[in-house]
Amino acid sequence: MNKIINIVLSVVILALLSACSKEREFPGSSGYGKVNTRSLTVEMANEENTRAASVDVADFTVRFFLDGETTAVASCRYGDMPEVVVLPVGRYTAKASYGTNPSAAWDAPYYEGQTLSSFEVMPDQVTMVSDPIVCKLANIKVTVSFTDELAAQMSAGSKVSVKVGEYGSSLEYTVADRDKAGYFAYVDNSQTLAATFIGEVQGFPTTETKVYDDVQPGNHYRIIFDLSTPDEEPGDITGLLRVDASVEIEDLNRPVDSEDEILKDDMRPKEDNGDTPDPPATQGPSVSVEAPVSFEAENDVTPSSKVVVKVKSSAPGGIKRFDVEIISDSLSEDALNEVGLSTHLDLVNPGEYLTSLQGLGLLGEGVESLGGQTDVTFDISGFMVPLSAFGSQTHKFKFTISDESGSTEKILILRMNV
């Protein structure tokens, strides 16, 4: 009978260790220690992209692994993490993840990370974990879009089939899925992405495959299908046109205010017969913000805060487009009209808002347009006082700035404290 009781008690203890719980005393043995989780934080390599994907860090799962083991000793939702977790003695690594990492699925980002170094759980002692768990997007994001010219010429049943890796699953994109995010699992030694257009263009059956090598996790591959005039070479020619594709690559784990590496030369689309690489992808103007304000996170500001955005363009003709969209629960169109502004401001063609923009110092003294400029200091510090009139609230400012080289988008989040 005593043997049966001991077995049952052992099962109960193991069950308690497999999930998070509130702080409790050590089991009646010196073979256990405690981890103080106050110092164990889960962070994102790029908070901006996490928010854009509607991912809440509180929903991440934290797991504790003994070194060399692949089965977690304990796990818990980060938002429900107790202050203390009891673990068997040993050296541990804490890992966090979000999502299921499917072979291929819509709107299924997968994030993972772990402490940089392991930590020791000592008998009857409390261990503080000094390293944060820094999580990154660990699968591959793919969006497919069709230019208006191609969409007007192709049949309603046309689609693009995308597959990552030799044995991976595929997703099929149609015009209705334009810019819809598909996510693909990353597999070592299977780093090829194939995008195949299948359909009819101008009534002619058309199949065109583009292959991208060295696909990496954490990257967003934007594939744009278009029409082009073919050279005198074999191919899927539809009348005088053919289907072609280009790709833009964004590292979603890189801080958003750093220079984006759009496309590496050796990763440009190539046809199955080894076609000449496409011209370099566009980049757009450089957009930054003066410290301590950052594009990467929410910024606490006051009526006296200095907020300065800097834009540089090296393209011929300078800035062609400079739009600011104000996204706020309190800054409605009616509320902004009262101060002579709008939720959408065009600083190349200010129109009726010119006087107000000049009065707030947003355009600069005597400046009537930012069009054609190559080096702009966009000082919105003068807008902080009017902003404070709406109380302690959070406001977003979306910048869309273009020149001949391309377009750049940035989102600035300000949390006013009054």
Side-chain angles (χ1 to χ4, degrees):
M1 178 65 69
N2 288 336
K3 183 176 181 181
I4 294 175
I5 293 174
N6 288 337
I7 292 173
V8 172
L9 288 174
S10 297
V11 172
V12 171
I13 290 172
L14 287 173
L16 289 171
L17 289 173
S18 67
C20 290
S21 65
K22 298 298 182 183
E23 182 174 353
R24 55 185 180 270
E25 297 300 321
F26 289 103
S29 167
S30 61
Y32 297 88
K34 291 183 178 180
V35 174
N36 188 321
T37 62
R38 286 184 178 179
S39 60
L40 182 61
T41 60
V42 175
E43 302 175 2
M44 297 304 302
N46 189 336
E47 291 285 356
E48 183 71 22
N49 281 311
T50 308
R51 285 194 297 271
S54 300
V55 174
D56 188 347
V57 175
D59 292 330
F60 279 59
T61 299
V62 177
R63 296 179 175 86
F64 296 89
F65 293 84
L66 281 165
D67 280 7
E69 299 292 332
T70 58
T71 301
V73 174
S75 64
C76 183
R77 179 177 177 270
Y78 180 59
D80 300 327
M81 181 78 68
E83 293 184 0
V84 171
V85 174
V86 178
L87 297 172
V89 297
R91 180 161 288 278
Y92 285 83
T93 298
K95 300 181 180 181
S97 64
Y98 175 91
T100 59
N101 198 22
S103 175
W106 300 110
D107 300 320
Y110 174 68
Y111 296 85
E112 65 179 12
Q114 65 180 53
T115 50
L116 294 176
S117 58
S118 57
F119 52 91
E120 190 79 25
V121 174
M122 305 293 290
D124 304 330
Q125 295 184 24
V126 178
T127 298
M128 301 292 290
V129 182
S130 58
D131 288 344
I133 304 176
V134 179
C135 294
K136 298 181 178 181
L137 182 67
N139 57 356
I140 297 160
K141 179 179 179 180
V142 177
T143 54
V144 174
S145 62
F146 307 85
T147 63
D148 292 340
E149 291 79 6
L150 175 58
Q153 297 288 342
M154 70 189 201
S155 62
S158 297
K159 62 186 179 182
V160 172
S161 179
V162 175
K163 182 178 179 181
V164 174
E166 183 178 359
Y167 303 106
S169 302
S170 60
L171 293 177
E172 294 183 348
Y173 297 73
T174 66
V175 171
D177 301 315
R178 182 181 294 185
D179 297 325
K180 183 177 180 180
Y183 288 85
F184 299 81
Y186 172 79
V187 180
D188 287 331
N189 302 318
S190 188
Q191 301 165 314
T192 298
L193 184 158
T196 302
F197 178 95
I198 305 169
E200 292 185 358
V201 178
Q202 292 182 325
F204 291 84
T206 302
T207 300
E208 183 72 20
T209 297
K210 293 292 182 178
V211 178
Y212 311 98
D213 295 325
D214 194 24
V215 176
Q216 296 297 318
N219 281 350
H220 175 193
Y221 295 83
R222 297 186 185 91
I223 305 173
I224 305 101
F225 277 83
D226 196 0
L227 289 174
S228 66
T229 303
D231 297 326
E232 295 182 0
E233 297 178 358
D236 296 312
I237 299 176
T238 60
L240 297 176
L241 300 173
R242 68 178 297 168
V243 177
D244 203 355
S246 60
V247 65
E248 297 176 354
I249 303 174
E250 178 187 6
D251 184 353
L252 296 180
N253 293 324
R254 175 180 295 185
V256 294
D257 62 347
S258 63
E259 291 293 333
D260 290 335
E261 182 183 350
I262 302 297
L263 195 61
K264 295 181 179 179
D265 288 340
D266 59 354
M267 298 178 70
R268 299 193 181 283
K270 61 184 182 183
E271 295 186 21
D272 292 341
N273 60 1
D275 207 4
T276 303
D278 290 337
T282 59
Q283 290 189 342
S286 168
V287 182
S288 61
V289 60
E290 287 188 359
V293 181
S294 169
F295 283 119
E296 296 179 61
E298 291 188 2
N299 301 275
D300 288 315
V301 294
T302 67
S304 61
S305 292
K306 185 177 182 181
V307 183
V308 179
V309 176
K310 293 190 173 182
V311 180
K312 292 186 178 181
S313 169
S314 57
I319 294 172
K320 301 294 185 183
R321 176 185 180 188
F322 197 125
D323 290 356
V324 181
E325 182 180 356
I326 302 175
I327 306 169
S328 170
D329 291 336
S330 58
L331 297 180
S332 65
E333 186 70 24
D334 290 340
L336 286 166
N337 284 339
E338 291 182 4
V339 293
L341 296 176
S342 170
T343 55
H344 182 88
L345 300 170
D346 182 349
L347 278 72
V348 173
N349 300 292
E352 62 184 295
Y353 306 110
L354 175 60
T355 302
S356 297
L357 290 170
Q358 289 177 331
L360 290 170
L362 300 181
L363 282 176
E365 186 176 354
V367 177
E368 297 185 355
S369 170
L370 297 183
Q373 298 196 31
T374 58
D375 192 346
V376 172
T377 298
F378 186 65
D379 191 342
I380 61 175
S381 305
F383 192 55
M384 295 302 102
V385 172
L387 200 63
S388 66
F390 295 93
S392 298
Q393 297 193 37
T394 299
H395 313 278
K396 294 182 180 180
F397 298 83
K398 180 180 178 181
F399 295 85
T400 304
I401 306 170
S402 306
D403 59 15
E404 285 190 1
S405 74
S407 182
T408 302
E409 288 189 357
K410 297 286 186 180
I411 296 179
L412 181 64
I413 303 176
L414 303 179
R415 184 170 51 223
M416 177 58 66
N417 294 299
V418 292

